[in-house]
Amino acid sequence: MESLQYLSPTTQFVLFSALKILVVFGVVMTGVAYAVLVERKVSAWIQDRVGPNRTSPFFVDYIPVIGPFLVRLGIFQPMADGLKFMLKEDFTPSYVRKIYFWLAPAITVVPALMTVAVIPFGSTLGSEKMVIADLNVGILYTFGIVSLGVYGIVLAGYASNSKYPFLGGIRSSAQMISYEIAMGLSVVPIFLLTESLNLGDIVKYQADHGWMILKQPVAFVIFLIAAFAETNRLPFDLPESETELVGGYHTEYSSMKFALFFLGEYANMIASSAMMVTLFCGGWTLPGTLLSTPSSSLLVGLLHIGVFLSKMAVFMIVFIWVRWMLPRFRYDQLMDIGWRRFIPVALANILLTAVVVAL
Amino acid sequence: MPQFTDLLFFAFAGMALLFGFLTVANPVSRNPVTSAMFLVLTIISLAGLYLLLHAFFLAAVQVLVYAGAVMVLFLFVIMLLDIKEEERRRLKTFTVGVGSVAVAALLGILTVSALSAKPGSPAGQTRLAIGDTAELGKVLFNHWLLPFEILSVLLLVAMVGVILLSKKDLK
């Protein structure tokens, strides 16, 4: 660490940013792989099955005692899944619009990964702030990037050039725009209270004044439900809805291109869990302990990151749990609750909070 | 030696011009979806230019509203239209005339404001320049209150108009 002091501030900034980007990317990718495993295990338990419990690579024999246990938990399943996706035949139907067909999976994944850039996932490690980009308009950046995510699905539907994917694409564009409004309106009361758009400031406010989920429960409920719609998860997975649209927008996709849509969905779930933790559940802080203030000690810094990741895991499990418990909404019901319930309620919530703040 | 931000400026400006050209006069494809996608890229390049001016709020809103919402609805409508017929359509003299007048007017406004700005002292050396939303709100609700209110009335009129048009059998 001594030699780092001789580097110019710019070089240090570039170096640390690159390091943080790499680490966060790695964590999100691992998170995606294991979220898929958790999804399969949780669905299995809910449906009274066992789930993946067979994948056992050759080195398991060398792990004493816990080796077979890990196999039963399916810890090695994501490796096999990844390998399967890469080795399957990448089939491109003859009738698709080639350029968009190739672009769409990438356009789905990139915004999902970019949203995590502004999220403060810890306090500090040494003197480095644990956020990739400490933007003053952090939350607006997130909404901007999230709103670009819809292009991947719309273009996939358009590029496939067949009717069910097309219907899926059209549905998703209407659904995501509708719920973006409700989502955007639901977080306005938070800014009225914290007087800042910076996510770090919002975490600090919650450390001093208590969590937002207690002060703004209505906003939290609207944000949570809108997050389900934005990530296309059940009960709002109408762009996919396999019982009526075959597989929706990704019907024509196979192999790694399909895996990218899959990855995008789970990365979106991770990003929205991280947003909910930051906005409503105090981010990396843990009230009542020494962990609610930034510290220069390396151990406390790591603990903060651990607290953040544990809170995120709770939200991920809620996402997965809900998927296997609730039936799908009908399309008109989806639009109806979006436009005629959530948006008016969110507006009323803004007005109420503004009056309280003004008083 | 040119600054890094200068290089970024030329990159974003070049991309904005190139994508803007490809939006209206794509030599390869006359597909409206392609045009719409190039317009999205133009909007994102413009957001990059706003970032270089330290207008973070404007850049974020540009991406959020135009690229993320307005253009998605454009795409939605284009996909529901008959694209083949749209590809065959030729330019009309009237459309070109109206378009040219609008562009000329916009160019006039931009030239006047560019000439009136003093070189060397970029507009807004205040906290506004670092994209502070509180400052932006103060300026909007004090100095620019009347234009702001007129714009909001205009948007309200547009909204009422849209609802009226979409409900033709309104009694």
Side-chain angles (χ1 to χ4, degrees), chain A residues 92-142:
Chain A
T92 308
S94 58
Y95 47 81
V96 300
R97 298 179 169 92
K98 287 260 162 36
I99 298 176
Y100 291 122
F101 192 76
W102 279 79
L103 273 178
I107 299 178
T108 316
V109 173
V110 172
L113 292 175
M114 276 171 75
T115 37
V116 287
V118 287
I119 288 164
F121 50 89
S123 54
T124 49
L125 269 188
S127 57
E128 269 302 299
K129 267 189 168 176
M130 281 299 107
V131 49
I132 294 173
D134 195 17
L135 285 186
N136 269 330
V137 289
I139 180 83
L140 283 177
Y141 164 88
T142 323

Side-chain angles (χ1 to χ4, degrees), chain A residues 302-323:
Chain A
L302 286 174
L303 277 176
H304 282 149
I305 296 176
V307 168
F308 185 83
L309 289 179
S310 332
K311 286 180 182 174
M312 244 175 74
V314 172
F315 276 108
M316 290 297 286
I317 290 180
V318 170
F319 265 110
I320 289 166
W321 188 14
V322 167
R323 172 169 179 186

Side-chain angles (χ1 to χ4, degrees), chain A residues 100 140 147 151 154 158 173 197, chain B residues 31 34 57 67-68 71 76 79:
Chain A
Y100 291 122
L140 283 177
S147 67
Y151 283 111
V154 174
Y158 171 71
S173 61
L197 291 174
Chain B
N31 186 339
T34 312
F57 181 78
M71 285 314 295
F76 187 83
M79 283 179 168

Side-chain angles (χ1 to χ4, degrees), chain B residues 16-169:
Chain B
L17 288 174
L18 177 70
F19 294 143
F21 176 76
L22 289 174
T23 307
V24 288
N26 193 332
V28 188
S29 151
R30 276 182 60 79
N31 186 339
V33 172
T34 312
S35 290
M37 288 319 290
F38 275 119
L39 187 52
V40 173
L41 288 177
T42 314
I43 288 165
I44 293 173
S45 313
L46 286 179
L49 287 178
Y50 293 149
L51 279 186
L52 291 177
L53 292 171
H54 297 279
F56 296 120
F57 181 78
L58 195 57
V61 169
Q62 169 96 353
V63 173
L64 178 62
V65 174
Y66 286 99
V70 174
M71 285 314 295
V72 177
L73 289 180
F74 271 37
L75 212 57
F76 187 83
V77 173
I78 290 172
M79 283 179 168
L80 290 176
L81 292 176
D82 189 1
I83 287 170
K84 291 199 186 72
E85 194 185 317
E86 203 64 24
E87 276 172 349
R88 276 202 303 273
R89 218 169 73 172
R90 296 286 107 194
L91 290 173
K92 290 198 187 95
T93 332
F94 176 72
T95 337
V96 174
V98 173
S100 316
V101 170
V103 168
L106 197 62
L107 195 69
I109 295 173
L110 281 178
T111 320
V112 168
S113 54
L115 287 178
S116 65
K118 294 179 190 68
S121 66
Q125 284 282 22
T126 53
R127 274 159 53 83
L128 193 59
I130 56 164
D132 191 307
T133 39
E135 286 300 311
L136 187 70
K138 274 181 199 145
V139 173
L140 265 187
F141 282 102
N142 290 312
H143 194 173
W144 301 106
L145 184 60
L146 187 63
F148 182 75
E149 290 296 334
I150 291 174
L151 271 183
S152 52
V153 170
L154 183 69
L155 284 175
L156 185 67
V157 170
M159 252 163 75
V160 173
V162 165
I163 292 169
L164 198 69
L165 283 177
S166 61
K167 291 211 167 198
K168 276 185 181 143
D169 53 348

Side-chain angles (χ1 to χ4, degrees), chain A residues 233-251:
Chain A
R233 296 281 298 182
L234 263 169
F236 300 121
D237 70 335
L238 287 131
E240 266 182 62
S241 67
E242 65 275 8
T243 42
E244 39 191 298
L245 296 185
V246 191
Y249 58 92
H250 55 50
T251 306

